[in-house]
Amino acid sequence: MKVTLNVNGASHWLDLDTRVTLLDALRDHLKLTGTKKGCDHGQCGACTVIAGGRRINSCLSLAALHDGDEITTVEGLSDDELSDLQSAFVAHDGMQCGYCTPGQICSALGMLGELSEGWPSHVSETLDGPVRPTREEIAERMSGNLCRCSCYPGINAAILETAEGS
Amino acid sequence: MTEELKIDGPTQARPEDAHAQGVLSREAARPDGPLKVSGRAAYAAEYLPEGAAHGVLVRAPGRGKVRLANRAEVEAMQGVLCVLHDDRMVRNAAQGTANEAPVQGVEWAEYVGQPVALVVAETPEQASHAAARLRVEAGGSKGAVTPGEGEVTDEDVTTSETGDFEAAMREGAQTLDATYTTPSHVSAAMEPHAAIAEWKDGCLTLHSALQMLKFNRNEIADCVGVDPGNVRVLAPYVGGGFGSKLGISAEAVAAALAARDLGRPVRVVQTRRQVFEVNTRRSETRQRIRLAADRDGRLTGLGHDALASNLPGEDFAEPVLQASHFSYAAPNRRLRQSAERLFRPASGSVRAPGEAVGVTMFEIAMDELAESCGIDPVEFRLRNIPETDPERDVPFSSHMLAECLTEGSHRFGWADRPAATRQRQEGEWWIGTGMAAAFRVNLLMEAEARVRLSPEGVVVETDMTDIGTGTYSILTQIAAERLGHPPDRCEVRLGDTDFPPGSGAGGSVGAASTGTAVWLACTEIRRQLAEAMGCSEADLTLKDGRATCGNRSLDIAEVIGDGPLEGHGHLQPGKALKKVRQSTFGAHFAEVAVSDVTGEVRVRRLAGTYAAGRILNPRTARSQCHGGLTWGIGMALTEALEHDRRDGHAVNRDFAEYHLPVNADVPDLDVEFVEERDDWAGPMQAKGIGELSICGSGAAIINAIHHACGVRVRDLPATPDRVLAGLA
Ligand code: FES
Ligand code: FES
């Protein structure tokens, strides 16, 4: 079927098998391989992208469901210069093998948005107050993104620094 | 010319101290970092060529003779190009450094989950759909799948005995005789095993997620029956390995066979559930540990008897006792290791094979005996540090356990700890602390590297891989330091068998082995520069692209003249390890909270103090230690691959059911390195650091649970049900 995906500001017209996931559309059809596939079952977060302003697991969503949607992938976060969050990941060594990293970064961006909108989490003190980006909040909200290299200390430090800087 | 080195003895000179660039052993960001955070580092499945077909592996549902019941029907499905059912397909991944094909064949399935067919189609969706339709019949063959019930032959048992162990056990002032178990573990690297195979004029190009390319090339060549010279393997970026990508695996072999049959490139990516069963797991272990101590808390008897399993035809047996041979002094010793044949998925190396489970369980036993002796656990270990290797009459190349224990306990604030258990409570939570030592044998492997120096800068080439270990970073630093260039003028190219063969990544050998090969290659270039400058290599100072000799100072570009200078380094492990016992050491400290209501355990603090020779880049080394510590949390609390009691299959084979530690499970981790230079480790005096922190960190947590609430867990992991059973 015909699908239009607006990815990182560019429109793409694709003719896809209805079974193609958003993740495979990005990776195999648009050659945007920055978004990773770790499990294809919504269990690892490596495939996280921002769709319609929210972080989602792109492996759990069919491309056909995103006709006309605005999608941001890791490739859309920087051109020549890395974004602050990306630079912070490098500075804090928030990666080793790097396979979970694009998902961590997209997820962190979405998560910071949720924080600034005041969405509470399991560790928030109140359900309706503003939420501060503490280490606990970040760890809780980033727990859908697995990192087997276990770069959580660097990931959290990078996100915290970025949140505090903005 | 090649600069050769065989490590037969100590290297006393400290040439690195004469280096001027000042980048080695300093904190440095990964040069590959910007590529990884922007999605530009490409992994195996991402080199998709035009016209590639897509393959999906299909597993056997039982053990026994295999039949594809509806092959023709599946072959007729939309988009399907072939159903490969070829006897050259492999049963499971090759063991690390196998250098030849693993067991092959699809007529018979030896374990449930063995890949026995590959369905290839025009698109991944068609291939997955058709693979799901393929009806495989296999089964009917019974075989042992439960630990303790498998066949053990004489070749599968090794024993070593020193003194009179039984007498020591009879006469000890305090003794311990306890049995511990660990379950199967998986590497669970985030990048699934993947391969893209393409043939041209009888030559195979394979992009695959692999750790040790020089071996992998020979393995795949042997599998598909071509000369290794006609095979090129590429893996410039690998999304984690932890042992699971040491040897060639099923998807690569099937992709290569299908691509040759079809005359077009084929990509095969293992599904996450396949990753859990096709690639080697860490064997479950049963460990009986017996210890005897005298009145002063000195060990008089040390016994460690371990049982692990593997499939028939695999010669790897989890080397559980590796560190028990030298970790503690005791005049009377009995060590016995056996491997039984179980028809579970094959076992093999997973991060720190041997010590990860061997040291961890032994350190729990040490905690138990320290308690019965009434001696502080740190002090108990300090009292039992051996002077020399307790089983072979050789000295240690360097022994830093005491320093690690002392520094680590100071840093953690161990002195404030009450000796008794169940002393601190916060609401429903019992709070306690525990510690454990860390040991990991240090190895070197043969490695080669090529370095070119031109006016444009330095280029390093080797087929070594960076699986997240920081190889790009440290090889850059070594070359920059040795040749006096800023790191951004050094380019490291890895993961291509067209380059000289490095060691490969595994067993914590990469940095010291391939790093030394790069070091040697640079030595050769330094000598050429010195010659051109008319001085000796030792008198040459290279910094920021300038060469200085006495009072002569020149731009290196001027010294080089027209052609680039080239150096080739070749390291071979020599007789050094026959003359000394070499290990890395550490001390782990943990603070946990245990819920009195649910038995849930939360790790509040976790710290490691390590000695691993010269640390080449503290930042990447620390990250690796974070990894091992986190694996320790997983091993202690959540990780267990469960096998079905009837047929041995891996039940919880995905991330939803096999629980890796997630972000919120991991507290801030405190990692410290103790300054050490091990002269027996070659000119860099560096040792492996990638695995040390999983060797005992789990024990510190288990021991902390005991201190917190009095429950002693001997069967890992310490899930709430097990802890609660003890609390009741
Ligand atoms: S690939 Fe989507 S969550 Fe794992
Ligand atoms: S960096 Fe390797 S999985 Fe996160």
Side-chain angles (χ1 to χ4, degrees), chain B residues 83-143:
Chain B
V83 173
L84 186 80
H85 180 60
D86 187 312
D87 246 352
R88 288 166 296 186
M89 288 173 67
V90 299
R91 182 182 75 176
N92 47 260
Q95 298 290 346
T97 72
N99 222 17
E100 60 181 17
V103 175
Q104 292 170 283
V106 290
E107 299 297 322
W108 176 269
E110 197 71 299
Y111 65 96
V112 180
Q114 179 177 329
V116 291
L118 180 81
V119 177
V120 188
E122 293 288 349
T123 72
E125 292 75 25
Q126 290 166 339
S128 301
H129 181 62
R133 288 289 171 282
L134 184 64
R135 263 200 341 270
V136 180
E137 291 171 358
S141 188
K142 285 265 171 258

Side-chain angles (χ1 to χ4, degrees), chain A residues 84-85 88-90 92 94 153-163:
Chain A
D84 289 349
L85 183 59
F89 264 73
V90 176
H92 291 278
I155 290 169
N156 293 347
I159 298 173
L160 209 53
E161 182 183 284
T162 310

Side-chain angles (χ1 to χ4, degrees), chain A residues 28 38 93 96-97 135 148, chain B residues 30 36 43 187 267 623:
Chain A
D28 286 355
D93 214 30
Q96 292 177 49
C97 78
R135 189 201 172 283
R148 186 53 156 171
Chain B
R30 290 167 202 264
K36 287 176 173 172
Y43 299 76
S187 296
R267 177 174 76 177
S623 289

Side-chain angles (χ1 to χ4, degrees), chain B residues 526-599:
Chain B
R526 287 173 62 90
R527 203 173 295 125
Q528 294 171 46
L529 287 170
E531 200 174 305
M533 298 274 293
C535 67
S536 79
E537 192 242 314
D539 296 334
L540 183 72
T541 305
L542 302 176
K543 184 174 191 305
D544 290 332
R546 286 194 77 78
T548 309
C549 238
N551 49 18
R552 274 187 77 204
S553 178
L554 286 176
D555 209 316
I556 288 177
E558 276 177 62
V559 188
I560 298 170
D562 297 340
L565 301 184
E566 198 169 294
H568 191 111
H570 183 199
L571 169 82
Q572 283 175 281
K575 299 194 192 78
L577 293 188
K578 292 208 166 54
K579 300 176 189 164
V580 288
R581 163 66 75 179
Q582 190 172 55
S583 177
T584 53
F585 299 94
H588 291 117
F589 295 86
E591 178 181 303
V592 303
V594 184
S595 167
D596 195 49
V597 180
T598 64

Side-chain angles (χ1 to χ4, degrees), chain B residues 161-175:
Chain B
E161 184 118 20
T162 317
D164 187 345
F165 175 71
E166 293 298 342
M169 285 302 290
R170 268 193 316 274
E171 291 155 18
Q174 292 293 338
T175 57

